[in-house]
Amino acid sequence: MANLKELRSRITSVSSTMQITSAMKMVSAAKLSKAQDAITSMRPYAEKLTQLLQDLSATLDDDSGSKFAEEREVNNVLIVAISSNKGLAGAFNTNIIKKVKNKIQNEYQGKHVEVLTLGKKGNDILKKTSTVYKNDNAIFDDLSFDNVSEIAEELMQVFLDGKFDKIDVVYNQFKNAATQYVMDEQFLPIEKFESDSDKQLDYIFEPSKLEIVKELIPKSLKMQLFKALRDSFASEHGARMTAMHKATDNAKELRDDLKLSYNKARQASITNEILEIVGGAEALHG
């Protein structure tokens, strides 16, 4: 059994760790509340914009489609990997890295694949095994639509220039504090939607339908990327809050076990001292 000094040191160390994880849990909980409100408030708009684009684009002729819908032979692929700048968030970053590596090794085997990393943790790992096209850690310092739009515009431009034939986005979708889903979405080319003949559109177009679609597509792509980053941001704080909650519970359990061991060791030490005193007294009387 460990001596009393060692046990006291371990109890102090575990207690300090528990205080840190508890504080991190509370900070993440506060940030999660704000991030959750942001993603839940923008989802209806993003979904309605996507639905409107689907309704309109499905009625257009094939030869009037957008340049962003051009399908080419896939030789060069760009994967946008959205992770976080900080760790201690459970499997949040690991799941993204695994998904990206799996896509490179299986789905795009034999293709030229580059990775645009948004988040330091993903970049630190993926740059060791993959070609990193670009890394942007500062995007999470000011996660605004304008800043995200710049990244989306760059993605649209490299697609139009023919540098990449396909662009995918991999991120964590937020469900609740304990649950996040790894999403793999095709960003470009935009997927073609099937026309629903039973669905009647009741829209008045001004200007023409084609011009509206061409205007909506870039805006929809920017919103798609912004939504993915917002989802990932909320998922990060949810995952970290859950991880720190579990870490705090584990530290408390370990501290209680150490205190029990300490009390047993202290009791045994006192008992031995009493026995020694009694034994010495009996030896003097003997």
Side-chain angles (χ1 to χ4, degrees), residues 19-162:
Q19 289 178 347
I20 294 173
T21 56
S22 180
M24 292 182 67
K25 172 192 170 183
M26 290 187 289
V27 170
S28 293
K31 291 183 177 180
L32 172 62
S33 178
K34 184 177 179 180
Q36 184 175 355
D37 290 342
I39 184 60
T40 53
S41 62
M42 74 169 292
R43 271 180 181 164
Y45 173 77
E47 291 172 357
K48 187 62 179 179
L49 180 62
T50 301
Q51 179 188 347
L52 180 62
L53 183 62
Q54 291 175 356
D55 292 343
L56 296 179
S57 60
T59 63
L60 292 174
D61 298 331
D62 292 338
D63 57 354
S64 61
S66 168
K67 52 191 174 181
F68 295 113
E70 177 187 356
E71 294 187 359
R72 306 188 286 258
E73 181 181 354
V74 178
N75 295 314
N76 300 296
V77 180
L78 178 64
I79 300 177
V80 181
I82 303 177
S83 60
S84 67
N85 289 335
K86 299 178 181 178
L88 298 177
F92 175 83
N93 292 306
T94 304
N95 290 337
I96 295 297
I97 293 169
K98 285 182 178 179
K99 182 64 176 179
V100 172
K101 287 184 175 181
N102 181 66
K103 285 174 68 66
I104 294 174
Q105 296 171 1
N106 299 314
E107 184 177 346
Y108 295 128
Q109 185 177 16
K111 311 290 186 183
H112 175 72
V113 181
E114 296 186 30
V115 183
L116 169 61
T117 54
L118 301 178
K120 181 178 182 296
K121 290 301 179 180
N123 179 67
D124 289 346
I125 302 300
L126 291 172
K127 69 180 181 181
K128 299 177 182 179
T129 58
S130 309
T131 302
V132 175
Y133 167 74
K134 186 179 179 180
N135 175 50
D136 190 346
N137 300 333
I139 187 64
F140 292 108
D141 296 335
D142 184 12
L143 189 55
S144 64
F145 182 77
D146 290 338
N147 291 337
V148 175
S149 294
E150 295 179 4
I151 300 176
E153 288 172 358
E154 182 179 354
L155 293 176
M156 288 185 275
Q157 191 58 51
V158 294
F159 177 78
L160 294 178
D161 293 341

Side-chain angles (χ1 to χ4, degrees), residues 12 21 30 68 76 103 143 165 175 186 196 223 225 239 275:
T12 301
T21 56
F68 295 113
N76 300 296
K103 285 174 68 66
L143 189 55
D165 304 310
K175 181 180 180 182
Q186 180 173 314
D196 188 353
M223 184 58 64
L225 184 60
L275 291 175

